[in-house]
Amino acid sequence: MADSNEMTINLAVLGRTQTGKSAAGNSLLGSLDFESHLSPSSVTTCCSLGCSCRILGITRRNGCELVLRVRVLDTPSYPHSSLSKEQVKHTVRSALAHHFREEGLHLALLVLRADLPLCPDENDQTILFIQELLGPTWKDFTAVLLTHADKAEAAGFSEETYLHKASSTLLSLLSSVQNKYVFLDNQKSINKEERTTVLRKLLNFIRQNNYRVLLKHDKE
């Protein structure tokens, strides 16, 4: 925190190619910091940090409104079309240590597409990667961000009915991270109201974790 009336939260977006990681990062920042477009190959090849402007109207402390700043680390996907697992892991680990060495990471956001089923093999591969990257306490510092929720809604699914119909693989994953999940409507992602809703949920997850942070170092 810069002062008693300001709060900064540090986030990282992780996930597979074309899940919408970079677009989700832009939504959280309220900007277009990260390159994001449809591509037959992985778009993001290195980590980059985006920082939001001062955000008002999100949270309060002791009756006083806090100024919120959001920092988002965009990362290469895993699996990646041109980088090995070790290359991606080294790149992300080094970036976490460089950008969040002092303040630490509040939440890693595992980005999944709500309009695609999560298969066991895919899930196992992703979870193993996150475990190796974040360490044994990964569940405390990981939340699931379900993008393309607008497509699920267009197919007739509310959040409740979607989870009722979800695969056991997804439900097991959500349970393992203490049901820390957020739906992101890609059609409304630039909407201030949608962004406020998502940020408030993420802040609530951080609050439930007693504002703890994950500290990473290059040599880990």
Side-chain angles (χ1 to χ4, degrees), residues 150-165:
D150 47 297
K151 293 184 178 180
E153 184 178 357
F157 292 101
S158 65
E159 291 186 13
E160 292 75 15
T161 56
Y162 178 89
L163 294 174
H164 182 71
K165 293 285 188 178

Side-chain angles (χ1 to χ4, degrees), residues 99-172:
H99 294 295
F100 301 149
R101 180 185 297 275
E102 300 298 329
E103 300 92 348
L105 175 71
H106 288 97
L107 270 181
L109 302 177
L110 172 56
V111 181
L112 302 174
R113 290 186 61 143
D115 61 330
L116 296 176
L118 180 64
C119 301
D121 289 348
E122 174 188 345
N123 180 65
D124 293 345
Q125 190 178 44
T126 301
I127 293 307
L128 180 59
F129 175 75
I130 293 179
Q131 287 177 332
E132 293 175 354
L133 181 66
L134 301 183
T137 61
W138 71 274
K139 295 177 182 178
D140 294 334
F141 297 96
T142 301
V144 174
L145 183 60
L146 292 153
T147 60
H148 296 84
D150 47 297
K151 293 184 178 180
E153 184 178 357
F157 292 101
S158 65
E159 291 186 13
E160 292 75 15
T161 56
Y162 178 89
L163 294 174
H164 182 71
K165 293 285 188 178
S167 67
S168 59
T169 301
L170 177 58
L171 295 178
S172 177

Side-chain angles (χ1 to χ4, degrees), residues 25-74:
N26 286 334
S27 297
L28 294 169
L29 294 172
S31 68
L32 295 174
D33 284 34
F34 307 132
E35 182 180 2
S36 175
H37 56 80
L38 182 66
S39 173
S41 61
S42 302
V43 175
T44 305
T45 57
C46 60
C47 293
S48 58
L49 184 71
C51 303
S52 74
C53 298
R54 292 157 53 93
I55 308 170
L56 296 171
I58 303 292
T59 189
R60 306 175 70 86
R61 181 194 293 127
N62 298 327
C64 298
E65 185 174 41
L66 288 180
V67 174
L68 180 68
R69 293 184 186 273
V70 180
R71 302 170 76 208
V72 178
L73 183 70
D74 190 25

